[in-house]
C-alpha cells in the first residue's frame, strides 16, 4: 500500500530533490536488490515522511565496487579540476538551501532557522576543501645518505567508507565528503536511518554538479545497519573508514576494521564540561552556556553536558540561566518563532527522563522543566535546568544528548579541572574567566580536543574539529582535514652525487 506523506509535509521549490525508495550508486538511482524499504517518520509529528531502500551488505558491496572502479580515473584529476567540481556542488547546495533546510527540519526536527544555519555550515566544507584541493604539497627533504635525493608526494588513500549521524544530516556528511574528494578519494556514504533524505538530496546535487559516476555513492539502511557497517569496515577494497557517532559504535567499527588495518577517523561522543569561574562576566557566561547546552535541543556532540559554576556566583548564574530557559519556545520546527524542536526519537526522550530521575533521586532540584510535552508530540521534552548536581549523578559521567542542563557547584580551579578531566571522553570543553593567567592554565590543562574560552560556540570550518581520549581521533575541517584522506609517499633517488660531465 502506498503511504502518503502528511499534510504538514513541506513544499519544496524543487520536489525532485526529495528522493524516496532509491539510493545513489554508480551515478544511478537504484533500489535494494531485495526491493525492501524502511520508513522514515517526522520526529515532531510521528507522521510518515517516506521510504528508503533497506540495503544489505551485498548491495553495499556493489557501491564499494563502483567507488573502486571510479578511483583510478578520479585520483588523476588535477587539484584544480577537483576544486571546480566541489565549487559547483557548493553553489548548488547554496542555491537549494531552502529545500535542504526543509528536509533537515522535516526529518531531524530542528527549527527551520537552525536548519538554514546547518546548510550554510555544510556548504562551507565544500567551499573550504575546493580551495584546499589545488594545494596538496609534498616536501623536498635534505637526505642524510650522500647522493640521495628525497621528495614526498601526497596521494589519495583510496576508497573510503563514510558513516554519519542524524544530528547534522547535511554537515556531518559534507565535512567528510569535502576533504575526501579534494584528496582524490572515492566514497561510499552510509547515511543514518533516521535522516537519509537530506543526504540523498545532496547526492542529487552531486549528480547535477557533474561529479563523475562512482565517485560518490550513498547507501541507506535501518534494520541492516550493523551488516552494512560491517561490510564497510571489513571490505578489503575500502582503505579508510571515517565515522561520526557514538563511542560504542566507534569501538565496534575499529575492531572490525583491524584485520584489514584500515585508516580510521573517529569523531565520537562527548561529555563537555562548561566551567564558569567567579571572575567571569556572568551574563556572557549565561549566554554562552545557553548557546552551548541547548543547540539542537542538546543533541550535538559538543553541547555542554556538565555546567560547573564556582560557588561565589552559583546562585546568580543559576537564577539568570533559568530565566533564559523559561523564555524558550518549544514546538514544531516549521512553526514561526520556535526556538527548540523535538528530540529525534523515543529512546532519546527515555534517556533524558532517566538522567533527570537519577539526578532528582540523588538530591538534584529541577528548577525549570522536567516534564514531557505530550500535547506537542511524543518526542517533545521541556528544556530542563537542575541545580545541586553532584559527581555521583549519571549526567556527570555520560552525555545526555538532550535539553537538560545540570549545574554543579565547585570551589577551586584544581577541583574543577580534576572533575572536568574525570570523563573517559574528551571532545570539547568551555570556560568563562577574565583572568589571563588562569585562562592559559586551564586551557592547557583540560583533556579535550577543543576548548572554548568565553564562548559557547566553537564550530567553524576553518578550525580543526575532533577529540582526544574516548572521543576518538582525527581532525575534520581546517587545513588538517584533508590529511585524513592522504598518504605520504617518500620517493628516494640514489646515485645523484656524480660529478658534472665534461
Ligand atoms: N565527535 C563528533 O564529531 C560527533 C558529531 C555528531 C555526533 N557525535 C556523537 O554521536 C552520538 C549520537 O549519534 P547517534 O545516536 O546517531 O550515534 P550512533 O553511533 O548510534 O550512530 C551514528 C551512525 O552509526 C550508524 N550505526 C549504528 N550502529 C552501527 C553499527 N553497528 N555499525 C555501523 N554503523 C552503525 C548509525 O546508523 C549512524 O549512521 C553521540 O554520542 C554524539 O556525541 C559525535
Ligand atoms: O554534533 C557534532 C557536530 C556539530 C558541530 O560541528 O558543531
Amino acid at each position: 500500500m502506498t503511504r502518503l506523506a502528511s499534510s504538514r509535509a513541506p513544499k519544496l521549490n524543487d520536489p525532485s530533490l526529495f528522493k524516496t525508495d532509491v539510493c545513489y550508486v554508480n551515478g544511478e538511482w537504484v533500489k535494494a536488490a531485495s526491493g525492501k524499504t524502511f520508513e522514515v517518520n517526522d520526529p515532531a509529528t510521528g507522521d510518515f515522511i517516506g521510504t528508503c531502500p533497506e540495503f544489505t551488505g551485498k548491495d553495499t558491496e556493489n557501491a564499494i565496487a563502483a567507488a573502486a572502479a571510479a578511483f583510478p580515473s578520479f585520483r588523476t584529476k588535477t587539484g584544480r579540476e577537483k576544486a571546480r567540481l566541489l565549487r559547483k556542488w557548493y553553489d548548488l547546495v547554496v542555491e537549494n538551501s531552502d529545500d535542504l533546510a526543509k528536509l533537515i527540519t522535516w526529518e531531524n526536527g530542528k527549527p527551520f532557522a537552525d536548519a538554514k544555519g546547518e546548510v550554510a555550515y555544510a556548504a562551507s566544507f565544500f567551499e573550504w576543501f575546493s580551495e584546499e584541493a589545488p594545494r596538496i604539497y609534498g616536501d623536498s627533504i635534505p637526505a642524510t645518505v650522500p647522493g640521495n635525493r628525497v621528495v614526498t608526494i601526497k596521494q589519495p588513500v583510496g576508497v573510503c567508507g563514510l558513516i554519519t549521524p542524524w544530528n547534522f544530516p547535511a554537515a556531518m556528511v559534507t565535512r567528510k565528503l569535502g576533504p575526501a574528494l579534494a584528496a582524490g578519494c572515492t566514497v561510499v556514504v552510509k547515511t543514518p536511518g533516521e535522516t537519509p533524505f537530506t543526504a540523498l538530496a545532496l547526492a542529487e546535487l552531486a549528480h547535477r554538479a557533474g561529479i563523475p559516476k562512482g565517485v560518490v555513492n550513498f547507501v541507506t539502511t535501518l534494520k541492516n545497519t550493523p551488516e552494512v557497517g560491517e561490510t564497510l569496515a571489513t571490505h578489503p577494497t575500502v582503505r579508510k573508514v571515517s565515522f561520526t557517532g557514538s563511542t560504542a559504535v566507534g569501538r565496534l567499527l575499529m575492531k572490525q576494521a583491524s584485520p584489514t588495518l584500515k585508516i580510521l577517523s573517529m569523531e565520537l561522543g562527548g561529555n563537555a564540561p562548561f566551567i564558569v569561574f567567579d571572575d567571569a562576566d556572568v551574563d556572557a557566561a549565561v549566554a554562552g552556556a545557553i548557546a552551548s547546552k541547548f543547540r539542537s535541543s542538546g543533541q550535538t556532540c559538543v553541547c555542554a553536558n556538565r555546567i560547573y559554576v564556582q560557588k561565589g556566583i552559583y546562585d546568580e548564574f543559576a537564577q539568570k540561566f533559568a530565566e533564559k530557559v523559561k523564555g524558550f519556545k518549544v514546538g514544531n520546527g516549521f512553526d514561526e518563532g520556535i526556538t527548540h524542536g523535538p528530540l529525534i526519537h523515543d529512546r532519546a526522550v527515555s534517556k533524558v527522563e532517566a538522567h533527570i530521575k537519577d539526578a532528582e533521586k540523588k538530591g538534584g532540584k529541577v528548577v525549570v522543566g522536567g516534564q514531557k510535552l505530550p500535547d506537542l508530540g511524543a518526542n517533545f521534552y521541556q528544556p530542563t535546568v537542575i541545580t545541586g548536581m553532584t559527581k555521583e549523578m549519571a549526567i556527570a559521567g555520560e552525555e545526555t544528548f538532550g535539553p537538560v542542563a545540570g549545574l554543579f557547584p565547585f570551589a577551586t580551579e584544581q577541583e574543577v579541572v580534576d572533575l572536568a578531566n574525570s570523563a573517559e571522553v574528551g571532545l570539547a570543553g568551555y570556560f568563562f574567566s577574565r583572568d589571563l593567567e588562569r585562562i592559559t592554565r586551564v586551557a592547557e590543562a583540560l583533556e579535550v580536543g577543543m576548548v572554548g574560552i568565553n564562548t559557547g560556540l566553537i564550530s567553524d570550518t576553518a578550525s580543526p574539529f575532533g577529540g582526544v581520549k574516548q572521543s576518538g581521533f582525527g581532525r575534520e575541517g581546517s587545513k588538517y582535514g584533508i590529511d585524513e584522506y592522504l598518504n605520504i609517499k617518500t620517493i628516494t633517488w640514489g646515485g645523484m652525487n656524480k660529478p658534472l660531465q665534461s
Side-chain angles (χ1 to χ4, degrees):
M1 190 183 70
T2 309
R3 294 191 60 192
L4 293 176
S6 88
S7 55
R8 287 213 58 153
K11 299 227 173 332
L12 301 186
N13 301 320
D14 178 353
S16 68
L17 286 178
F18 180 45
K19 299 284 179 197
T20 55
D21 296 326
V22 280
C23 284
Y24 187 69
V25 175
N26 206 20
E28 288 176 2
W29 292 99
V30 300
K31 295 185 186 255
S34 67
K36 288 192 179 149
T37 57
F38 64 92
E39 274 188 19
V40 181
N41 296 301
D42 178 344
T45 59
D47 289 347
F48 174 71
I49 295 179
T51 53
C52 276
E54 183 67 81
F55 260 39
T56 59
K58 194 94 197 108
D59 294 321
T60 306
E61 283 175 11
N62 293 337
I64 295 170
F71 182 60
S73 158
F74 193 65
R75 68 176 303 187
T76 64
K77 290 231 176 287
T78 65
R80 189 53 70 197
E81 285 169 330
K82 290 177 288 180
R84 288 196 189 107
L85 287 171
L86 279 170
R87 180 73 204 190
K88 181 82 186 127
W89 202 357
Y90 164 80
D91 289 340
L92 288 168
V93 171
V94 172
E95 269 168 39
N96 291 280
S97 61
D98 265 11
D99 281 351
L100 289 166
K102 284 176 192 165
L103 289 171
I104 291 174
T105 297
W106 200 14
E107 61 184 3
N108 166 282
K110 66 179 72 174
F112 184 66
D114 291 3
K116 284 283 296 230
E118 182 185 339
V119 177
Y121 185 41
S124 73
F125 292 108
F126 287 160
E127 183 180 44
W128 180 271
F129 286 104
S130 75
E131 292 154 356
E132 294 291 301
R135 297 188 173 78
I136 301 171
Y137 298 111
D139 290 316
S140 166
I141 296 174
T144 43
V145 178
N148 277 6
R149 297 290 179 273
V150 180
V151 294
T152 62
I153 57 171
K154 291 184 180 170
Q155 295 184 306
V157 299
V159 174
C160 301
L162 313 179
I163 305 179
T164 58
W166 48 263
N167 65 341
F168 285 80
M172 295 303 96
V173 177
T174 60
R175 193 157 76 182
K176 297 185 191 305
L177 276 169
L181 266 60
C185 296
T186 57
V187 304
V188 177
V189 185
K190 192 212 81 61
T191 61
E194 295 87 349
T195 59
F197 292 119
T198 308
L200 292 171
L202 287 172
E204 169 64 21
L205 297 177
H207 193 86
R208 293 182 196 176
I211 308 282
K213 74 173 189 170
V215 170
V216 293
N217 304 276
F218 285 73
V219 304
T220 62
T221 171
L222 184 64
K223 192 166 65 57
N224 296 336
T225 292
E227 180 187 328
V228 169
E230 188 174 1
T231 304
L232 289 171
T234 57
H235 199 291
T237 301
V238 176
R239 294 307 316 139
K240 179 196 169 87
V241 171
S242 178
F243 173 71
T244 296
S246 60
T247 297
V249 174
R251 261 187 220 118
L252 174 71
L253 290 169
M254 201 169 162
K255 204 166 162 189
Q256 292 171 342
S258 71
T260 49
L261 285 176
K262 294 194 196 323
I263 303 164
L264 298 174
S265 297
M266 290 282 157
E267 298 286 343
L268 309 178
N271 178 356
F274 188 109
I275 305 166
V276 188
F277 288 102
D278 279 345
D279 62 61
D281 173 338
V282 175
D283 291 330
V286 166
I290 293 281
S292 171
K293 173 65 253 182
F294 290 103
R295 181 171 168 229
S296 288
S297 296
Q299 300 174 113
T300 90
C301 53
V302 288
C303 274
N305 198 57
R306 300 168 284 158
I307 303 179
Y308 295 110
V309 188
Q310 206 161 9
K311 287 180 175 158
I313 52 158
Y314 186 90
D315 290 339
E316 180 190 355
F317 180 93
Q319 184 261 323
K320 288 182 168 169
F321 185 82
E323 275 315 305
K324 289 271 185 230
V325 176
K326 282 181 196 156
F328 290 172
K329 197 159 171 225
V330 181
N332 188 307
F334 284 119
D335 291 341
E336 204 52 41
I338 291 302
T339 56
H340 295 81
L343 300 189
I344 189 73
H345 43 45
D346 54 354
R347 298 187 304 288
V349 175
S350 301
K351 188 169 188 191
V352 161
E353 278 193 305
H355 276 190
I356 294 173
K357 272 208 184 92
D358 169 84
E360 279 187 300
K361 201 171 76 197
K362 294 173 181 160
K365 186 168 171 229
V366 172
V367 292
V368 182
Q371 300 294 325
K372 285 194 199 180
L373 291 165
D375 293 347
L376 289 176
N379 295 333
F380 286 92
Y381 204 94
Q382 287 177 330
T384 299
V385 182
I386 312 177
T387 55
M389 296 291 295
T390 67
K391 64 179 185 327
E392 287 71 32
M393 298 172 182
I395 294 176
E398 196 191 339
E399 71 178 334
T400 308
F401 228 59
V404 184
L407 310 186
F408 298 72
F410 74 91
T412 69
E413 198 177 286
Q414 182 68 58
E415 176 198 357
V416 78
V417 169
D418 288 346
L419 284 166
N421 289 345
S422 65
E424 285 176 347
V425 292
L427 189 58
Y430 308 82
F431 64 93
F432 275 66
S433 168
R434 286 184 283 203
D435 175 335
L436 263 182
E437 288 181 14
R438 164 175 278 163
I439 283 174
T440 309
R441 274 194 307 271
V442 174
E444 290 176 4
L446 287 175
E447 295 172 358
V448 293
M450 297 170 283
V451 178
I453 302 167
N454 295 330
T455 177
L457 296 173
I458 52 172
S459 304
D460 178 350
T461 316
S463 306
F465 193 102
V468 298
K469 296 164 82 177
Q470 293 188 37
S471 288
F473 42 81
R475 291 296 178 267
E476 295 194 317
S478 79
K479 67 172 181 172
Y480 303 107
I482 198 163
D483 293 338
E484 304 279 320
Y485 296 89
L486 292 166
N487 284 325
I488 295 176
K489 181 179 275 179
T490 306
I491 301 173
T492 304
W493 277 276
M496 303 300 282
N497 53 348
K498 310 248 164 64
L500 288 174
Q501 291 188 346
S502 48

